[in-house]
Amino acid sequence: MITSRNNALIKNIKKLQQKKYRLRESRFLIEGVHLIEEALAADVGIDMLVKSEEAPLLPFDIGEHRVVEVEASVFTTLSETQTPQGWLAVCKMPTDTPMIEGDVLLLDGLSDPGNVGTIIRTAEAAGMAGIYVSEDTVDLYNDKVIRATQGALFHIPVVAGNLKTIVFSLQEKGIPVYSTAAHAECSYQDVQPRQAYALLLGNEAQGLSSELANITDQTVSIPIFGKTESLNVAVAAGVLMYGWLNQREEQR
Amino acid sequence: MITSRNNALIKNIKKLQQKKYRLRESRFLIEGVHLIEEALAADVGIDMLVKSEEAPLLPFDIGEHRVVEVEASVFTTLSETQTPQGWLAVCKMPTDTPMIEGDVLLLDGLSDPGNVGTIIRTAEAAGMAGIYVSEDTVDLYNDKVIRATQGALFHIPVVAGNLKTIVFSLQEKGIPVYSTAAHAECSYQDVQPRQAYALLLGNEAQGLSSELANITDQTVSIPIFGKTESLNVAVAAGVLMYGWLNQREEQR
């Protein structure tokens, strides 16, 4: 059992709380029983599990994975949650860029990790094929993003890239790219994507960059019946994805 | 200008960061230019505004409201945001219980302030008539709730009470009460509330208390097409409220 927070392995694991070390090592941390179960189910590469001396037994099989036991106080220094469950894992980032075919989301510069994680969770639930995020979107391997995805990050391809290039390449394939704005003339109910579509969402405060807004095929709004100016972006994403799913079902 | 954080007024304002003092004084804090503008527009009672010596001019009229200027370091002790704008206000809680007639939300023991605030924002935007929350739901005047509502809290009645009593009283008026569950047999698309309805949402982890689940008229689910087990409760609320709005419009 590791009893010192100055142990070299512990120090290296702790560094993965920072984006720069995550990128350097191509590793990230997940914490808690549910996320570890999801990662195992999705065949995410796991370097090692770390358990606190006080951690409960896991209710599933972890195969041959290495388990490092640490003193409770050492676990606390590694934990980023308010009520640690005593389990975390060091995971490998995916190295291959997956093919994405079907409905896609594009996230332009979203900064709130809870929003991004919730959107990934909703997109996976709604059966979207994948998500593209701009380089300035909050880091996907931020612990708050991963927690908010509830593990969905392991089940849907999420790829960072230049959104302008991606929009053009989607349009070349005949896939319409929709964006949202508070006062667009067209309501989302009037758009009925029958085939694959792309939905582009902008930053919580600034909205979409004008460079991207100018090249989308159609801007739609969600009608507001109160005095609120706009919806939270994660809620808007859910309303649009499920709204369009339903329209498609009705057409069948 | 107040220069000491030990000033009695400053200490009393700071106490309002705690629920127990908010209840005792029937006062709460709001922070930032946008929320102050919304509170003024909604005629929320404002005791006083507090401005940091470094705060910018406000871009709207504050009428006869008292403004207390404080040193920047004093403002910092009062602020609960990461990037303070230098303005906050001490507001009065509403004293009268408003009549709510129309579509309503019921929140049973929700614990995440961001979720509750986002749900209030979405409900106001979707034109719901009001929201009932159980006594064990996170305090509505928590700063994170207020911030997530983006001011919608000032534009829609939100009333705390015994949800069981409220469900019975709604049902007596002929208003159907729907709840949600991950694996309900009935999809929300198959329910088409033509008249006023009530939507009951449960705690993020535990779901609805069985006492309430047993007395609702119908449990509905939102279909999941991926491996995710459920949607975030604020996203689910948005999908349901807007989904039912659209169905109602189509029937007209």
Side-chain angles (χ1 to χ4, degrees):
Chain A
M1 184 167 74
I2 297 177
T3 57
S4 166
R5 61 184 68 183
N6 292 320
N7 174 288
L9 176 60
I10 298 302
K11 283 161 81 176
N12 282 336
I13 293 173
K14 188 166 174 61
K15 281 183 184 164
L16 298 177
Q17 292 177 355
Q18 294 171 60
K19 180 177 179 181
K20 114 178 135 171
Y21 289 101
R22 288 197 289 269
L23 288 177
R24 182 187 297 176
E25 306 291 337
S26 295
R27 296 289 184 282
F28 63 99
L29 298 175
I30 59 173
E31 197 174 335
V33 173
H34 177 69
L35 281 176
I36 291 174
E37 186 173 18
E38 291 289 323
L40 286 165
D43 267 334
V44 172
I46 293 180
D47 271 352
M48 69 187 77
L49 299 166
V50 180
K51 82 178 278 275
S52 164
E53 54 180 336
E54 294 172 345
L57 283 176
L58 289 176
F60 46 80
D61 181 25
I62 58 164
E64 302 292 307
H65 288 295
R66 177 181 169 203
V67 178
V68 177
E69 190 170 356
V70 304
E71 217 171 58
S73 65
V74 174
F75 192 89
T76 306
T77 69
L78 297 178
S79 174
E80 294 173 278
T81 57
Q82 286 187 334
T83 50
Q85 298 179 346
W87 283 97
L88 59 81
V90 179
C91 300
K92 294 172 194 158
M93 290 183 189
T95 48
D96 49 338
T97 304
M99 281 286 291
I100 300 180
E101 299 209 358
D103 301 330
V104 295
L105 275 189
L106 289 80
L107 308 185
D108 178 33
L110 269 71
S111 62
D112 182 278
N115 281 341
V116 170
T118 301
I119 289 172
I120 294 171
R121 178 179 174 187
T122 310
E124 204 277 333
M128 303 292 283
I131 303 174
Y132 294 102
V133 301
S134 64
E135 303 285 1
D136 62 342
T137 294
V138 60
D139 180 35
L140 297 172
Y141 297 102
N142 173 310
D143 68 302
K144 288 185 193 137
V145 173
I146 298 178
R147 219 176 310 140
T149 72
Q150 296 261 317
L153 181 62
F154 308 138
H155 301 299
I156 183 171
V158 186
V159 177
N162 180 312
L163 290 194
K164 198 173 164 185
T165 311
I166 291 164
V167 165
F168 285 137
S169 112
L170 289 166
Q171 288 169 330
E172 264 176 33
K173 290 187 220 160
I175 295 174
V177 178
Y178 300 104
S179 63
T180 65
H183 303 287
E185 281 181 21
C186 177
S187 165
Y188 77 101
Q189 298 124 298
D190 300 329
V191 169
Q192 311 207 345
R194 284 159 195 263
Q195 308 295 329
Y197 71 87
L199 171 61
L200 176 54
L201 300 165
N203 173 275
E204 293 87 346
Q206 275 83 44
L208 213 55
S209 67
S210 59
E211 194 187 15
L212 286 175
N214 290 336
I215 58 171
T216 57
D217 294 284
Q218 176 87 54
T219 305
V220 299
S221 66
I222 297 175
I224 301 284
F225 300 88
K227 290 178 176 158
T228 295
E229 285 165 24
S230 65
L231 297 179
N232 163 279
V233 66
V235 172
V239 168
L240 292 167
M241 288 187 281
Y242 271 94
W244 287 343
L245 259 179
N246 290 343
Q247 290 185 342
R248 213 182 264 172
E249 276 186 20
E250 280 165 22
Q251 286 157 9
R252 279 184 185 147
Chain B
M1 185 167 74
I2 297 177
T3 58
S4 164
R5 61 184 68 182
N6 291 320
N7 174 287
L9 176 61
I10 298 302
K11 283 161 81 176
N12 283 337
I13 293 173
K14 187 164 174 64
K15 280 184 185 164
L16 297 177
Q17 292 178 356
Q18 295 171 60
K19 180 178 179 181
K20 111 178 138 173
Y21 290 101
R22 288 196 289 269
L23 288 177
R24 184 188 295 176
E25 306 292 337
S26 295
R27 295 291 183 280
F28 63 99
L29 299 175
I30 60 173
E31 197 175 335
V33 173
H34 177 69
L35 281 176
I36 292 173
E37 186 172 17
E38 291 289 324
L40 286 166
D43 266 334
V44 172
I46 294 181
D47 271 352
M48 70 187 76
L49 299 166
V50 180
K51 83 179 278 275
S52 165
E53 54 179 336
E54 295 173 344
L57 282 177
L58 289 176
F60 46 79
D61 181 24
I62 58 163
E64 302 292 308
H65 288 295
R66 177 181 168 201
V67 178
V68 176
E69 189 170 357
V70 303
E71 219 171 55
S73 66
V74 174
F75 193 89
T76 306
T77 69
L78 296 179
S79 173
E80 295 173 277
T81 58
Q82 286 187 334
T83 49
Q85 298 179 345
W87 282 99
L88 60 81
V90 179
C91 301
K92 293 172 192 157
M93 291 183 186
T95 49
D96 49 337
T97 304
M99 281 287 292
I100 301 179
E101 298 209 359
D103 301 329
V104 296
L105 274 188
L106 289 81
L107 308 184
D108 178 32
L110 268 72
S111 62
D112 182 279
N115 282 341
V116 170
T118 302
I119 289 172
I120 294 172
R121 177 179 174 188
T122 310
E124 204 276 335
M128 303 292 283
I131 303 175
Y132 294 102
V133 301
S134 64
E135 302 285 1
D136 62 342
T137 294
V138 61
D139 179 35
L140 296 172
Y141 297 100
N142 173 308
D143 69 303
K144 288 185 194 137
V145 173
I146 297 179
R147 218 175 311 139
T149 72
Q150 296 262 317
L153 181 62
F154 308 138
H155 301 299
I156 184 172
V158 187
V159 178
N162 180 311
L163 289 194
K164 197 173 164 186
T165 311
I166 291 163
V167 166
F168 285 138
S169 113
L170 289 165
Q171 288 170 330
E172 264 175 33
K173 290 188 218 161
I175 295 173
V177 179
Y178 300 104
S179 63
T180 65
H183 303 288
E185 281 181 19
C186 176
S187 165
Y188 78 101
Q189 298 124 299
D190 300 328
V191 169
Q192 311 207 346
R194 285 160 195 262
Q195 308 296 329
Y197 71 88
L199 171 61
L200 176 53
L201 300 165
N203 173 274
E204 293 86 348
Q206 274 85 45
L208 213 55
S209 67
S210 59
E211 194 188 15
L212 286 175
N214 289 337
I215 57 171
T216 57
D217 294 285
Q218 176 88 53
T219 305
V220 300
S221 65
I222 296 175
I224 301 284
F225 300 88
K227 290 178 176 158
T228 295
E229 285 166 23
S230 65
L231 298 180
N232 164 279
V233 65
V235 172
V239 168
L240 291 168
M241 288 187 281
Y242 271 94
W244 287 342
L245 260 179
N246 290 343
Q247 290 185 341
R248 214 182 265 173
E249 276 186 20
E250 281 165 21
Q251 287 158 8
R252 280 183 185 147

